Amino acid sequence: MSNWEQKIIDACIGHYTEDRQTLRLRSASFFPDFDTANPDEKESYLEAAESLERKGIVKLRWEKCGKGERLKTLSCENFEKLFAEAGRPHPQTEAEKIRTMLCEKLQSLKDNLPVTRNETAGKIISFLEFLSLHFGPREISLGLNHKTMEDFIRLLEFSLEPAKLEKITTRALSILLYRDSKRLENLLALCKPLLSHSQKHISAPDLAIPERSYPETMIAGKIIIEYKNQDVPMLNAGGHILILPLETAEAIQAIQTIAEKKEKTVLTVENKETFYALGSPHKISDSEAFSRYDCFLYTGGYSNRAASALIKVIASSGFSFYHAGDLDPDGILILQNIQDIAEKPVIPVRMDAVTFDQYRAWGRTLTKPMLQQIKKIREETKTISGLAGLLQRIEEIGLGVEQEIIDYR
């Protein structure tokens, strides 16, 4: 099979849906540069299309002005031949085989389960019952072939006892199940749409597989951290920088200041270098400019889940929010994002035209996609003190100022 035959077949299979009688593709959609292409490449393409027509896989429709020279559309009606030529099973046939396999696995599980099922087992059984009835060509088009579904069922069987998923990394579990350290991650990515779709109809099982993603954030200040389900709070009397992973951030119930105050304030900081400069305890005590802030929170750009969890806790604990970030469209959008998470006003710090003009000589040129981010900034955000003037400078000059070069003292 030539390279162009393969491309045409792949394009047809990629657009296949079970409800279509005829699949029609415009030639220009997968060979847009036909007019300027090398003559040999044009000839190879047309020969491949004609070869597939002779095999009864596609039908060609030529431009009226140049029959045999310029293709208009390629259409396919014989999907059996299309998939046979590709060396792949027809989606409907494959789906039937997978449904049969699912029914067999389902019956085997039911036969071997104890009389008293836990909640996870019940959800897995319901999920497999749903799949055994509804798995079809749509799922095949998502890359869920027979081997993928067998591997997925192996994971479901293993998950019948949730304790087996504890104290083990994703890659170690992948080797245990598949003798392949990456298979589980790839499998979960493939099956995510399947789980999402089934969730609309049944309560799909929560497999609780540990993600290979470990969001963290940092907080500094003389604060008291109160945890859920824990009577003794943690006192950060020295105002030290604390690194908090997502699991810990989600376990926090409230944050209070050690010194009782009517008005508590937090400064969220976009970039790590600036956070360390402003949040280090030996620097806070000597800085009058930052004595107004009771704690400092590192967001790391757009807030990850750990930072978001702390923002919500700090907001519910009665803190007022201030934010220092880059002087560019994304910097303003990050402030807007913090405001959305906190559900309360956020006051910008040195995010204004005066600061922009002071550091303009060291600004960086913003690309067109960077400037287009301005469209995402809402009108109510633009009305926050200082931001309208800053945006005007950014749009006029096309520059941005990185937070790390700003002296906040």
Side-chain angles (χ1 to χ4, degrees):
M1 186 185 300
S2 72
N3 185 44
W4 267 113
E5 284 180 297
Q6 186 69 59
K7 285 183 180 180
I8 293 169
I9 286 173
D10 288 346
C12 289
I13 289 176
H15 287 81
Y16 168 80
T17 56
E18 60 180 311
D19 56 342
R20 276 185 168 180
Q21 297 294 321
T22 300
L23 175 66
R24 183 174 291 107
L25 297 176
R26 292 184 62 83
S27 177
S29 67
F30 54 90
F31 197 171
D33 302 323
F34 182 83
D35 290 334
T36 57
N38 181 288
D40 290 340
E41 188 71 6
K42 288 183 179 180
E43 187 176 352
S44 296
Y45 167 61
L46 296 177
E47 286 178 352
E50 290 174 330
S51 171
L52 292 175
E53 185 177 46
R54 288 193 295 272
K55 293 177 182 179
I57 296 171
V58 299
K59 292 181 180 179
L60 307 181
R61 184 182 174 194
W62 300 87
E63 297 281 3
K64 292 180 180 179
C65 60
K67 182 172 172 58
E69 297 177 6
R70 186 181 176 86
L71 270 175
K72 186 172 184 179
T73 61
L74 299 87
S75 58
C76 176
E77 296 178 359
N78 194 327
F79 298 118
E80 294 284 352
K81 282 190 176 181
L82 173 68
F83 283 93
E85 184 71 13
R88 293 165 59 175
H90 190 281
Q92 288 184 348
T93 305
E94 180 78 345
E96 287 173 9
K97 289 180 179 178
I98 291 174
R99 286 197 299 273
T100 300
M101 181 266 290
L102 287 167
C103 287
E104 292 171 355
K105 291 285 186 181
L106 176 62
Q107 190 58 52
S108 176
L109 279 178
K110 286 181 176 179
D111 292 342
N112 291 289
L113 275 178
V115 178
T116 55
R117 302 175 184 174
N118 59 36
E119 184 181 352
T120 299
K123 286 186 176 182
I124 288 174
I125 293 297
S126 297
F127 179 58
L128 287 175
E129 287 175 340
F130 176 81
L131 290 184
S132 67
L133 295 172
H134 298 99
F135 192 96
R138 174 189 172 277
E139 286 68 36
I140 298 292
S141 69
L142 297 174
L144 301 175
N145 57 28
H146 202 282
K147 175 67 167 60
T148 299
M149 292 309 298
E150 282 187 329
D151 285 353
F152 188 48
I153 290 172
R154 183 172 178 79
L155 173 62
L156 292 176
E157 289 173 329
F158 193 82
S159 303
L160 287 169
E161 298 179 42
K164 288 184 176 181
L165 300 175
E166 296 177 358
K167 304 296 183 183
I168 187 169
T169 65
T170 301
R171 294 185 70 183
L173 179 58
S174 187
I175 289 174
L176 179 65
L177 292 176
Y178 310 113
R179 312 301 299 170
D180 180 340
S181 65
K182 299 291 182 69
R183 177 58 175 163
L184 182 52
E185 288 175 84
N186 295 333
L187 183 66
L188 291 171
L190 278 171
C191 294
K192 188 175 181 179
L194 181 69
L195 287 163
S196 298
H197 177 67
S198 61
Q199 191 74 52
K200 299 174 183 177
H201 306 279
I202 60 166
S203 180
D206 179 9
L207 301 177
I209 304 300
E211 296 181 27
R212 295 190 68 223
S213 170
Y214 307 97
E216 296 177 337
T217 189
M218 294 185 285
I219 191 169
K222 295 183 179 182
I223 54 176
I224 301 170
I225 297 177
E226 300 174 1
Y227 290 96
K228 304 169 185 174
N229 305 317
Q230 181 176 314
D231 294 333
V232 181
M234 186 182 81
L235 274 64
N236 190 29
H240 299 291
I241 291 174
L242 305 175
I243 299 175
L244 301 176
L246 174 63
E247 186 175 0
T248 303
E250 289 182 333
I252 296 173
Q253 178 174 274
I255 292 177
Q256 307 297 343
T257 55
I258 288 179
E260 289 190 19
K261 302 178 71 174
K262 285 187 177 180
E263 294 187 8
K264 299 172 289 187
T265 58
V266 58
L267 177 68
T268 55
V269 183
E270 179 180 340
N271 296 297
K272 185 179 289 187
E273 185 177 353
T274 304
F275 172 80
Y276 272 100
L278 304 181
S280 296
H282 66 280
K283 296 172 183 175
I284 297 170
S285 58
D286 297 331
S287 174
E288 292 184 12
F290 289 92
S291 61
R292 68 185 297 179
Y293 305 115
D294 297 299
C295 67
F296 300 81
L297 178 68
Y298 170 59
T299 66
Y302 289 96
S303 302
N304 62 25
R305 287 180 293 159
S308 296
L310 271 191
I311 288 170
K312 290 176 182 178
V313 169
I314 293 169
S316 65
S317 299
F319 282 72
S320 297
F321 279 75
Y322 293 79
H323 178 73
D326 289 343
L327 278 58
D328 61 18
D330 266 321
I332 297 171
L333 283 170
I334 288 167
L335 181 149
Q336 179 174 280
N337 177 245
I338 293 169
Q339 193 162 254
D340 290 344
I341 298 168
E343 296 183 345
K344 60 196 317 182
V346 176
I347 300 171
V349 175
R350 299 217 66 182
M351 296 178 72
D352 50 41
V354 173
T355 306
F356 182 90
D357 290 340
Q358 182 181 346
Y359 291 95
R360 172 180 167 181
W362 300 276
R364 62 189 178 104
T365 302
L366 299 177
T367 63
K368 188 175 180 181
M370 291 175 178
L371 289 167
Q372 286 176 339
Q373 290 288 83
I374 292 173
K375 296 176 183 177
K376 299 178 183 178
I377 300 172
R378 299 192 296 267
E379 289 303 317
E380 62 265 27
T381 303
K382 294 177 183 179
T383 62
I384 296 173
S385 177
L387 295 187
L390 172 60
L391 273 170
Q392 185 177 347
R393 288 285 198 282
I394 292 170
E395 289 186 286
E396 287 174 351
I397 303 168
L399 294 177
V401 172
E402 294 178 318
Q403 178 177 32
E404 294 91 328
I405 70 172
I406 298 173
D407 183 351
Y408 286 90
R409 295 174 297 175

